[in-house]
Amino acid sequence: MENIKRPYLIAGPCSVESHEQLLNVSKALCAIPNVQLIRAGVWKPRTRPGGFEGLGEQALQWMRQIADSPLRMADGAPVNYCCEVARPEHVELCLQYGISHVWIGARTTVNPFMVEEICQSLRGTGISVMVKNPASPDLGLWIGAIERLMQSGITDIKAIHRGFTTYNPRTLPQSNGPHYRNQPLWEIPISLHREMPDIPILCDPSHIGGSRELVAPLCLAAMLIDFDGLMIEVHPDPATAWTDANQQITPDALVRIVGGLNLQQPAGTPDAEHQLAPLRDSIDTIDHQLVGLLAERMELSRKIADIKRQCHMPVFQSQRWQSVLHDRLVQATAIGLDASFMRELLEKIHAESVRVQLEGQSST
Ligand code: PEP
Ligand code: MN
């Protein structure tokens, strides 16, 4: 039995720039067996005015021409394009030019009014729709947009994880890790999968990474987390691209990256299961110990709260907390634990301890 996972692969330029550029990249992508759909931006959401905003209907005309030409995708199907829609007029034009797959962009998913308007225009069309995560790290908005699409009768819905905007990511502590354009926050797409297990999730490493070098490692991470597919920005000459020049890759690079992914099915082999079993047992034991220790620690917080209350001391004592944090971070980093992970964990534990102590104060 075949044990290979084949990701659903969408590739293509950030934006359609000319007939020649679209035709060149389409020809190159049609020669790559894994590519199932070609992305090509028609309307571009620009953060600030003055930039290239997409060619609109002209781009759709070229897409139609190429789709009607003898060119075929690697599997023999006619060339199949998808693009972002942000307004009902975009949906209408896509329908007019026979575009069968569209996506809702990150700046639209944040706005339920806009999502609702687009859903109304999609009703009854049978179009396939992908929903990028909202720019802000808000799982509810992502789920909400998918639910609105379901309510309008769209049945082929996929989610696209493209990372989340944070204020000036370059200043965020990433423990020597890569500087992402948009933070991956993998726990959010993982939570989406938990909430909506039937919705396939694709990863967009181009907009997460923001640079060519990060595309390959992000694709690998997405496959390791068992995403269903990838949407990758590919341009015949990335350095000259009119939008997102830093993150687009050549068709040759795409072939190398996809070829380099180890696409073994995550089910593993009986031998792997056999080796994993005792390690998983140990992890279960340690997790149970951690839970027990946390309960003990919170019990101590309650006792401390009683003493503080009797002695009229404040619950939060900054100096004590700073020295606890410093001490644990020194210990943790000395034995190889990641400093920012440890800081986050300790801050969470401390916040819960403060909450428990305040609860003790107010219950009297
Ligand atoms: C894009 O795919 O080119 C794009 C603008 O995406 P996002 O909505 O993720 O920013
Ligand atoms: Mn782009």
Side-chain angles (χ1 to χ4, degrees):
M1 200 180 75
E2 196 188 41
N3 197 27
I4 299 291
K5 180 182 165 93
R6 298 201 184 283
Y8 182 75
L9 184 60
I10 305 175
C14 179
S15 310
V16 176
E17 299 165 7
S18 67
H19 182 265
E20 193 196 2
Q21 173 244 19
L22 184 64
L23 185 59
N24 280 347
V25 77
S26 301
K27 281 182 182 164
L29 293 170
C30 280
I32 303 175
N34 306 63
V35 176
Q36 279 145 72
L37 191 58
I38 299 180
R39 62 151 287 152
V42 169
W43 298 277
K44 301 307 300 176
R46 306 315 301 266
T47 305
R48 297 179 65 179
F52 171 61
E53 293 187 335
L55 296 177
E57 192 168 354
Q58 169 72 87
L60 292 172
Q61 282 168 5
W62 293 332
M63 285 153 122
R64 190 67 257 146
Q65 268 175 27
I66 299 173
D68 288 340
S69 77
L71 187 64
R72 289 285 174 272
M73 307 286 290
D75 65 0
V79 181
N80 204 4
Y81 290 105
C82 63
C83 68
E84 173 175 349
V85 288
R87 313 178 57 82
E89 301 89 274
H90 297 166
V91 174
E92 275 150 36
L93 278 165
C94 283
L95 286 170
Q96 202 178 310
Y97 287 92
I99 301 292
S100 56
H101 293 68
V102 297
W103 79 83
I104 296 179
R107 293 162 198 76
T108 305
T109 314
V110 285
N111 185 333
F113 286 126
M114 288 167 68
V115 172
E116 187 57 40
E117 277 189 15
I118 294 172
C119 286
Q120 293 308 331
S121 64
L122 285 164
R123 191 175 282 278
T125 60
I127 270 188
S128 301
V129 186
M130 298 172 281
V131 187
K132 288 209 179 190
N133 64 256
S136 51
D138 186 334
L139 176 62
L141 282 172
W142 203 0
I143 292 178
I146 294 171
E147 285 172 342
R148 283 178 202 278
L149 283 166
M150 288 170 161
Q151 281 176 6
S152 6
I154 301 293
T155 50
D156 183 7
I157 305 174
K158 296 185 178 65
I160 303 176
H161 169 230
R162 51 76 79 194
F164 299 88
T165 308
T166 43
Y167 179 66
N168 195 359
R170 294 200 177 275
T171 63
L172 281 180
Q174 294 190 14
S175 51
N176 307 321
H179 287 294
Y180 297 115
R181 176 178 177 191
N182 290 293
Q183 300 304 306
L185 305 179
W186 298 104
E187 62 274 27
I188 298 184
I190 290 171
S191 298
L192 177 72
H193 180 64
R194 203 176 303 123
E195 299 276 325
M196 302 185 125
D198 297 333
I199 299 291
I201 309 184
L202 317 182
C203 178
D204 170 351
S206 311
H207 289 91
I208 297 176
S211 70
R212 271 180 273 295
E213 300 68 48
L214 292 176
V215 172
L218 283 164
C219 286
L220 188 58
M223 288 300 100
L224 291 173
I225 301 177
D226 205 19
F227 274 56
D228 300 283
L230 301 164
M231 178 194 257
I232 304 177
E233 284 192 341
V234 176
H235 190 285
D237 183 11
T240 65
W242 296 3
T243 53
D244 288 349
N246 293 337
Q247 70 196 32
Q248 304 206 55
I249 60 170
T250 61
D252 285 350
L254 179 71
V255 172
R256 276 197 302 279
I257 289 173
V258 175
L261 297 172
N262 182 358
L263 302 174
Q264 286 288 321
Q265 279 288 22
T269 59
D271 182 48
E273 291 299 325
H274 180 72
Q275 290 183 54
L276 286 174
L279 301 175
R280 285 180 167 159
D281 284 348
S282 301
I283 282 192
D284 289 350
T285 307
I286 290 178
D287 282 354
H288 291 142
Q289 285 169 353
L290 284 173
V291 172
L293 285 171
L294 283 170
E296 251 180 69
R297 196 186 191 287
M298 292 310 153
E299 201 38 51
L300 292 173
S301 295
R302 282 194 188 89
K303 289 190 176 143
I304 284 178
D306 287 344
I307 297 170
K308 285 179 178 165
R309 190 179 56 246
Q310 280 156 24
C311 304
H312 305 289
M313 286 168 74
V315 161
F316 178 60
Q317 297 186 346
S318 173
Q319 262 186 344
R320 160 76 184 151
W321 166 235
Q322 290 310 325
S323 82
V324 166
L325 186 61
H326 178 75
D327 173 81
R328 307 313 186 252
L329 285 178
V330 169
Q331 181 200 359
T333 47
I335 53 178
L337 284 164
D338 181 86
S340 63
F341 159 70
M342 270 318 291
R343 176 183 289 272
E344 225 172 284
L345 184 63
L346 289 162
E347 278 170 352
K348 277 234 154 70
I349 294 173
H350 181 247
E352 176 62 4
S353 168
V354 169
R355 189 192 67 78
V356 161
Q357 292 187 50
L358 288 174
E359 202 176 59
Q361 303 288 319
S362 58
S363 66
T364 54

